[in-house]
Amino acid sequence: MAATVGGPRGITEGVESIITTSLDASFFHHWCRRRAHPGVDRARCRSTPSRHTRRAEGSADHMATSAAQSRTIAFIGLGIMGSPMAANLVRAGHTVTGYNRSRPAVDRLVGAGGQGADSAAAAVADADVVITMLPADPQVAEVVLGPDGLLAHVRTGTLLIDMSSVSPQTAATIAEAGRDKDVRVLDAPVSGGEAGAIDAVLSIMVGGDAEDFADAEPLLRALGTTVVHVGPHGAGQTVKAANQLIVAANIQALAEAVVFLEKAGADLPSALEVLGGGLAGSTVLARKRDAMLNRDFRPGFRIDLHHKDMGIVTDAARAVGAVLPLCSLTAQLMASARANDDGALDHSALLRGVERLSGRAVD
């Protein structure tokens, strides 16, 4: 399939930008100020704005140009990620109508200045852009491709942007079905978790036609600070699969380091502080440090969903003949967490699996 790893050059050109710039720039800025490092450009440190500065500047830019760029958007799926994303589109000056199977999420969007609908069909009736943010392939297939799905109700020429994390094959299938209905389709999964969605600093990897990406880019920049066209239909999902592999492997490595440090009697907070200032530092360490220290695994991104994503990586890698040993091991550890009833916890709860393997009692 054209939109998988090893396909058009556009996929690989976007991968480095997506993965590196999904690192929290505010963390980089803070690190630069505290650490003298010969490889760091001090001028860049001084000029790199904090996350909150970028968000404030971005909001001002969007509000200043909202009259010219305002779109009528239907947002389907107002969960942990979708709810703040839809609210940020409202703040950017767009007219947003939301639909979610649970009504309280719709009411929150209305409270943020958006509009609510009682069905997906009603939400998309007057929209020129439709965004879906749904849990997995079955839900996306049902909502978009079903007999009474979105493609049966959207207007000709509508731009449909699926921001869910699904397989590259599902993305390609939706694009083909959209083409038959004269609906333009992009796959645009995101990285950054709940915090990135709230602060509008997501990293967004987009697959589809370049012209459709150019049309969507201004509104996507109301949601993220890194918005990159990575190739044809399905390419966004391929890059997202790679992202999820990297994140899972980093969380597992951090979990193992935490158990090792504690068993060795090191002062864990101090150890993680110094690790964060060296080559071992990462966005995963910065964002998941406190969760692991406090054993606070309230979900920002659930193990159930990451387990699903690891299945996507495994299947996609098999399809293109890529051998990914670490992926296979990490996927098994994620599956073990689910088997031990940790599926509803944040993916930082991989720590609990390492503790079980190391003979620790886990509450």
Side-chain angles (χ1 to χ4, degrees), residues 40-349:
V40 174
D41 183 340
R42 291 182 179 273
R44 181 185 172 194
C45 292
R46 289 191 296 271
S47 64
T48 303
S50 71
R51 178 201 306 178
H52 301 290
T53 299
R54 289 198 319 274
R55 183 184 181 191
E57 291 173 347
S59 297
D61 290 343
H62 280 295
M63 292 307 293
T65 59
S66 61
Q69 297 182 349
S70 180
R71 307 293 290 268
T72 301
I73 302 170
F75 204 109
I76 312 300
L78 301 172
I80 289 176
M81 298 290 290
S83 184
M85 291 167 67
N88 282 330
L89 289 169
V90 173
R91 293 189 189 98
H94 301 290
T95 299
V96 182
T97 300
Y99 172 72
N100 197 71
R101 285 182 175 177
S102 60
R103 184 67 198 188
V106 177
D107 293 338
R108 284 194 294 273
L109 177 61
V110 173
Q115 301 174 17
D118 293 326
S119 69
V124 305
D126 297 319
D128 55 78
V129 178
V130 176
I131 297 176
T132 51
M133 189 63 173
L134 300 165
D137 293 63
Q139 291 83 6
V140 172
E142 176 188 354
V143 169
V144 177
L145 302 174
D148 194 37
L150 297 181
L151 289 180
H153 296 282
V154 295
R155 299 183 301 182
T156 297
T158 296
L159 179 61
L160 172 60
I161 308 173
D162 181 31
M163 305 191 77
S164 319
S165 292
V166 298
S167 70
Q169 183 57 55
T170 294
T173 298
I174 291 173
E176 183 176 354
R179 191 178 300 112
D180 292 341
K181 297 280 189 177
D182 199 18
V183 172
R184 299 172 296 145
V185 177
L186 295 172
D187 51 287
V190 305
S191 178
E194 182 183 13
I198 292 170
D199 290 340
V201 294
L202 293 169
S203 184
I204 306 174
M205 47 221 82
V206 187
D209 293 342
E211 297 82 2
D212 296 334
F213 170 74
D215 186 23
E217 186 177 6
L219 68 87
L220 293 177
R221 292 200 175 277
L223 304 174
T225 50
T226 303
V227 181
V228 180
H229 182 228
V230 294
H233 297 293
Q237 298 296 351
T238 299
V239 177
K240 178 60 188 289
N243 181 87
Q244 295 304 83
L245 167 59
I246 294 170
V247 171
N250 271 269
I251 292 175
Q252 179 64 28
L254 176 59
E256 293 182 16
V258 165
V259 172
F260 166 60
L261 289 165
E262 287 182 330
K263 279 188 165 285
D267 180 78
L268 186 59
S270 298
L272 294 181
E273 180 183 0
V274 72
L275 289 173
L279 190 58
S282 68
T283 301
V284 164
L285 197 161
R287 294 188 183 177
K288 301 301 180 181
R289 173 182 183 274
D290 289 341
M292 292 194 180
L293 283 173
N294 301 320
R295 269 52 175 187
D296 180 1
F297 302 124
R298 287 173 293 178
F301 189 78
R302 290 183 285 117
I303 280 175
D304 279 338
L305 291 176
H306 212 141
H307 170 73
K308 176 264 297 182
D309 290 345
M310 295 306 293
I312 290 173
V313 182
T314 301
D315 290 344
R318 184 181 298 115
V320 298
V323 180
L324 310 179
L326 185 57
C327 173
S328 298
L329 176 58
T330 308
Q332 290 297 312
L333 293 168
M334 200 76 71
S336 175
R338 292 185 78 241
N340 282 282
D341 297 323
D342 288 346
L345 301 179
D346 186 76
H347 49 183
S348 57

